[in-house]
Amino acid sequence: MNDELNDDELLRYARQILLTDWDMDAQICLKNAKVLIVGAGGLGCPVAQILARAGVGYLHIADHDTIDDSNLQRQTLFTKDDVGKYKADVAKSALIRQNHLIDIDGTVIKLTCDNIDELFGVAKFDLVIDCTDNFAVRDLLNKSCIQKNLPLLSNSAIGEMGQIAMFNRQAGCYHCVFGAEMGDDNNCVNSGVLASTVSIIGSMTAQIALDVLGRGNNPIQGQLLLWQGRQMSLRKLNFQKNKDCPICANLD
Ligand SMILES: [Zn+2]
């Protein structure tokens, strides 16, 4: 547990420390925070680089995939030279170059119910951020986070739209809001996505994560944030914990 900032950190984070209601205390909270980011694609890239630059003390990036030429339109941590390499490895190296004052790890892993406990065990995480585009992994993350009483910040983007919500035992879980229906994965491969959409949604997700980790304030508690790019509209819908939810009922 660190209770102060060194000279390098004071200089690096000076503009943030000046913020109203931020101060040294919030920056020290960030320094002590441990965050797991699952998925280093269009959403994971902006989320990870904002949290890294802002001074979150420990970031762990988990992703199973390699970088493809078609990723470069929106996945801002990667360049042409990285094609064919593992996203988790390249993201880790890129993030270390952006901020050497924090600790960063990367794991190449395709999450299943057999290996998720191992990943969650690498650190005492304060927050898990779901940046995947896969329903099975999203469902797995939701169940594990509720079981371990870890807040799950979930974001997704498709086409020119996106959504963000924070799930926990008190507010309700992903299953409370979306049910068990898996359906076909409606993802960027078959539906397309505008370069700006993932950066906007990822940046808003990072804003929420910084508020939660720095100030202990969740600005979307019990709410689903919906972004529609073509109309430039942002809406918040309230959701409630389902008292019959098979994942989170009788837990609080
Ligand atoms: Zn639930």
Side-chain angles (χ1 to χ4, degrees), residues 16-232:
Q16 226 157 251
I17 293 166
L18 279 173
L19 286 168
T20 303
D21 296 334
W22 191 267
D23 215 331
M24 299 282 270
D25 292 343
Q27 196 63 47
I28 289 167
C29 286
L30 277 198
K31 181 176 178 176
N32 286 298
K34 295 179 171 62
V35 176
L36 172 63
I37 298 174
V38 181
L43 295 164
C45 285
V47 169
Q49 62 191 0
I50 292 169
L51 297 193
R53 285 178 187 274
V56 171
Y58 178 76
L59 286 178
H60 197 107
I61 315 294
D63 193 292
H64 75 281
D65 213 357
T66 55
I67 297 159
D68 184 83
D69 224 307
S70 67
N71 299 149
L72 302 181
Q73 159 252 14
R74 66 195 179 283
Q75 301 188 10
T76 51
L77 286 171
F78 314 132
T79 67
K80 182 76 178 165
D81 292 343
D82 302 320
V83 170
K85 298 175 184 169
Y86 283 110
K87 293 182 182 180
D89 294 340
V90 177
K92 177 184 170 180
S93 303
L95 293 167
I96 289 170
R97 288 196 296 277
Q98 293 179 14
N99 191 354
H100 68 287
L101 302 173
I102 64 169
D103 293 320
I104 300 163
D105 268 333
T107 302
V108 177
I109 185 171
K110 191 172 179 66
L111 273 186
T112 67
C113 54
D114 294 325
N115 62 22
I116 193 166
D117 282 349
E118 194 181 330
L119 178 65
F120 275 52
V122 300
K124 194 175 182 312
F125 291 112
D126 301 291
L127 178 67
V128 178
I129 306 182
D130 173 9
C131 297
T132 64
D133 61 355
N134 178 294
F135 279 109
V137 174
R138 193 160 284 165
D139 189 52
L140 192 59
L141 281 175
N142 182 56
K143 284 179 183 156
S144 283
C145 285
I146 291 292
Q147 278 166 9
K148 297 176 197 316
N149 202 14
L150 267 172
L152 174 65
L153 180 54
S154 177
N155 67 157
S156 62
I158 195 79
E160 296 173 52
M161 300 182 292
Q163 61 187 34
I164 310 172
M166 174 86 106
F167 301 114
N168 54 47
R169 288 184 177 184
Q170 293 73 40
C173 76
Y174 189 85
H175 194 282
C176 291
V177 180
F178 297 104
E181 195 170 327
M182 305 281 284
D184 294 328
D185 275 347
N186 188 23
N187 58 33
C188 301
V189 175
N190 51 36
S191 301
V193 65
L194 194 65
S196 50
T197 303
V198 282
S199 279
I200 289 166
I201 299 300
S203 298
M204 287 198 288
T205 298
Q207 157 92 29
I208 294 160
L210 292 176
D211 208 355
V212 167
L213 297 167
R215 297 193 185 101
N217 175 58
N218 175 8
I220 57 163
Q221 177 77 1
Q223 293 180 312
L224 179 67
L225 193 76
L226 298 168
W227 162 259
Q228 167 55 268
R230 294 193 75 173
Q231 282 81 44
M232 297 294 279

